[in-house]
Amino acid sequence: MSSESQIPIAAKVASRRFARRLAAFYATLFGMTGVHLPFFTVWMKAIGIDATWIGIITAVPPVTRFTVLPLVTAAAERRQMLRGAIIATGFATAFGFVVIGTQHQPFVLLAVYALTCCVWTPMVPLTDAYALRGVRQFGLSYGPLRLWGSAAFAVCALVSGFLLRYVAEVDLIWIITAVTVLGALVGLTLRRLGRPAATVAHAVGSPRLLRNPTFLAIIVSSALIQGSHGAYYIFASIAWQQAGFSGLTIAVLWVLGVIAEIVLFAASPRFTLPSAVLVMIAAASAVARWAITAQDPPLAVLAVVQLGHGLSFGLTQVGIMGLMVHHVPAHVMARAQGYLTACGGIVASTTAIVSGLVYARFGLGVYDMMAAMAAAGGLVMWLARRRLTHHHPHSAASGG
């Protein structure tokens, strides 16, 4: 009797430990991005890298997302070393930034940064794959785990702005490196997960994910809806500055979006609608958000619209991850996350180029194009809704 009564307690303890350690790792993973985003280009300028080279160097991460990244996630899956791959890429990334900090020649810096990005960019899909396996194993919700990444991103971005007053620009790289090293060390605490049962059953021949229309609907819908944020990420601050908003006002507008995202992640376990429906709601929210933004609304309206980031981005993420959990077998989750990120990278890179041309000619009219993209993503999900809502879990990616 006593041993049986201890089983649920032991399971709850294991679940809490998994959740705490993963939340801490998400925090360091996205916290590093929050430091890298404002610091890295400033550091390159400080050490004498010209604008042309800065543009070339900063173009590397998106390229690795749809070239090297899927190969890394697939290799981690084949070797059944998802946790090990996270730890290995974490330490390799930390080492890469240590070396980057010693370089001052553009071509050498480009080469070292490119190699570092080959191990850095796969970390998010590897972590998401690990998280979804844990969600399935421990019966957890993805949102409350992922929110710590968003919170850390916001905090680190704000702290970065504060530190710029006190740290020499040529030393900024060491702040990025320190957060990266911290993340690698936190990665060592991640719990080992049980070997997916389907691995044995499907040891011969991996599922053909990219030939399955249901899986393709998931990744294409995600790429289009999340990709519709492209013009926002690139041109929002520029447009707001031209509208006469102060730096503080612009920062507050960005933070409002992140806060809404965090709140949605925290509330996501209470959602009862099917994941496909959540994605369609997110797509509709994105269409409304970009359509209103295109009209150059006053600040009060814009502040409310910014809260829509929780729906347009956060709800899409929650819905897509829910679909991945229910329609992708655990033993191919890393490969599936790699394809998801690669598809998103292709769309994001293309959107960045096209939106630059559109913004140069039509200004805020670029948001109309973003609204069309989000609508297309919602349409893809609507067309696949019956298969996604009624098919037996895992059937979508089972390879038939």
Side-chain angles (χ1 to χ4, degrees):
M1 292 288 290
S2 60
S3 61
E4 290 180 1
S5 65
Q6 289 174 1
I7 293 175
I9 297 175
K12 288 181 180 179
V13 170
S15 175
R16 289 196 194 101
R17 287 178 178 173
F18 170 83
R20 283 198 297 264
R21 295 175 186 184
L22 179 58
F25 186 71
Y26 264 130
T28 59
L29 183 61
F30 285 94
M32 184 270 183
T33 305
V35 177
H36 176 275
L37 196 61
F39 274 3
F40 191 60
T41 53
V42 174
W43 171 74
M44 285 194 288
K45 182 180 179 182
I47 63 172
I49 307 297
D50 65 36
T52 301
W53 274 105
I54 289 176
I56 294 172
I57 292 169
T58 53
V60 170
V63 174
T64 62
R65 287 190 188 104
F66 58 83
T67 53
V68 179
L69 184 152
L71 301 178
V72 175
T73 54
E77 184 178 83
R78 281 195 303 271
R79 291 168 174 75
Q80 289 302 308
M81 53 175 294
L82 190 54
R83 174 180 173 273
I86 294 172
I87 294 172
T89 53
F91 277 96
T93 300
F95 177 76
F97 274 99
V98 169
V99 177
I100 287 170
T102 66
Q103 305 304 313
H104 295 82
Q105 296 300 318
F107 183 78
V108 178
L109 180 59
L110 172 64
V112 177
Y113 187 62
L115 290 173
T116 302
C117 286
C118 288
V119 291
W120 174 32
T121 56
M123 289 185 69
V124 171
L126 285 171
T127 306
D128 279 340
Y130 171 85
L132 294 187
R133 283 191 184 179
V135 163
R136 183 177 289 163
Q137 180 173 326
F138 295 106
L140 299 169
S141 295
Y142 171 80
L145 299 171
R146 175 61 175 77
L147 73 83
W148 294 102
S150 299
F153 178 91
V155 170
C156 288
L158 291 173
V159 171
S160 297
F162 176 76
L163 290 177
L164 277 171
R165 302 178 181 180
Y166 304 100
V167 178
E169 292 181 348
V170 293
D171 294 326
L172 294 177
I173 190 65
W174 302 118
I175 298 178
I176 299 173
T177 303
V179 178
T180 308
V181 171
L182 176 62
L185 295 174
V186 172
L188 291 173
T189 69
L190 293 175
R191 290 178 60 86
R192 296 181 185 276
L193 295 177
R195 185 185 178 99
T199 303
V200 178
H202 297 277
V204 180
S206 294
R208 298 175 179 179
L209 290 168
L210 294 181
R211 294 186 182 182
N212 189 284
T214 304
F215 178 71
L216 289 176
I218 294 173
I219 65 174
V220 170
S221 181
S222 174
L224 288 170
I225 301 171
Q226 300 293 37
S228 76
H229 293 72
Y232 164 66
Y233 293 143
I234 299 170
F235 297 111
S237 293
I238 295 173
W240 293 338
Q241 190 175 43
Q242 290 175 343
F245 297 158
S246 67
L248 177 61
T249 300
I250 292 172
V252 169
L253 287 172
W254 280 100
V255 171
L256 282 175
V258 178
I259 291 174
E261 176 187 323
I262 293 170
V263 170
L264 184 130
F265 281 143
S268 62
R270 299 174 180 267
F271 299 163
T272 57
L273 292 173
S275 295
V277 175
L278 295 180
V279 175
M280 286 186 277
I281 293 173
S285 301
V287 171
R289 182 185 181 191
W290 305 137
I292 296 172
T293 304
Q295 305 307 311
D296 192 17
L299 180 58
V301 175
L302 188 59
V304 175
V305 170
Q306 278 300 96
L307 294 175
H309 190 72
L311 294 174
S312 65
F313 173 83
L315 192 60
T316 301
Q317 184 75 1
V318 169
I320 292 296
M321 290 300 119
L323 290 171
M324 296 286 275
V325 166
H326 289 99
H327 293 276
V328 176
H331 69 290
V332 290
M333 188 61 77
R335 188 188 303 266
Q337 287 289 340
Y339 291 150
L340 175 72
T341 305
C343 183
I346 293 171
V347 172
S349 300
T350 305
T351 301
I353 295 170
V354 175
S355 63
L357 299 174
V358 175
Y359 184 81
R361 184 169 181 179
F362 299 104
L364 292 180
V366 71
Y367 285 111
D368 290 324
M369 184 180 79
M370 298 296 100
M373 279 184 64
L379 178 62
V380 170
M381 186 57 56
W382 184 80
L383 292 173
R385 69 193 185 285
R386 292 184 180 176
R387 182 184 294 268
L388 288 167
T389 9
H390 296 126
H391 271 209
H392 191 274
H394 308 167
S395 63
S398 64

